[in-house]
Amino acid sequence: MSPKRIVLRFGTDSSVKPIVYRLVKDYDLVVNIVKADVNPQKEGTMVLEVSGERNEEGLNYLRSLGISVQDLNQGIVRNEEKCVMCGACTGICPTGALYMERPSMEVHFDGDQCIVCLLCTKVCPMRAMEVRL
């Protein structure tokens, strides 16, 4: 079974709970934390890859805690016609999905590494990085 990619959004009440531990122990799920971000107010987001026979039960557990669970079904694409290879996106990409190839100085995009954080869409001056739904 291939892993399901999900985005969790949680508040202060959920950030102190061992939610990943419970998914593994209680629901026998395999969990890979792709990205996690918790702000000083203890609110945050987490991108997970989850696989196992009891996926839906585990996700329902998270929802019962008030955690927003969304499928990561959107993606980022680079519009080749708009891109001017400035490289602004490469410095902000947390996973290295966007990188500058040397010596050609061409921007390359590895969609498999992308976690759809949307940072590239905000910094691209040409708006070449686009959200695909």
Side-chain angles (χ1 to χ4, degrees), residues 1 27-30 51-57:
M1 174 181 287
Y27 299 96
D28 198 28
L29 298 178
V30 176
S51 60
E53 296 294 321
R54 299 176 62 195
N55 261 0
E56 282 309 310
E57 290 177 66

Side-chain angles (χ1 to χ4, degrees), residues 25-53:
K25 180 147 175 48
D26 297 347
Y27 299 96
D28 198 28
L29 298 178
V30 176
V31 178
N32 179 31
I33 301 172
V34 178
K35 180 181 187 237
D37 182 39
V38 180
N39 66 25
Q41 293 77 33
K42 297 197 188 283
E43 301 168 326
T45 59
M46 194 178 324
V47 179
L48 301 177
E49 290 178 338
V50 182
S51 60
E53 296 294 321

Side-chain angles (χ1 to χ4, degrees), residues 72-93:
L72 189 58
N73 53 7
Q74 67 181 19
I76 298 292
V77 293
R78 184 169 60 113
N79 184 323
E80 302 285 337
E81 293 175 9
K82 291 182 179 180
C83 183
V84 296
M85 305 290 172
C86 70
C89 57
T90 63
I92 195 88
C93 182

Side-chain angles (χ1 to χ4, degrees), residues 61-76:
Y61 159 73
L62 296 174
R63 291 181 186 104
S64 76
L65 297 175
I67 297 171
S68 167
V69 179
Q70 295 176 306
D71 284 340
L72 189 58
N73 53 7
Q74 67 181 19
I76 298 292

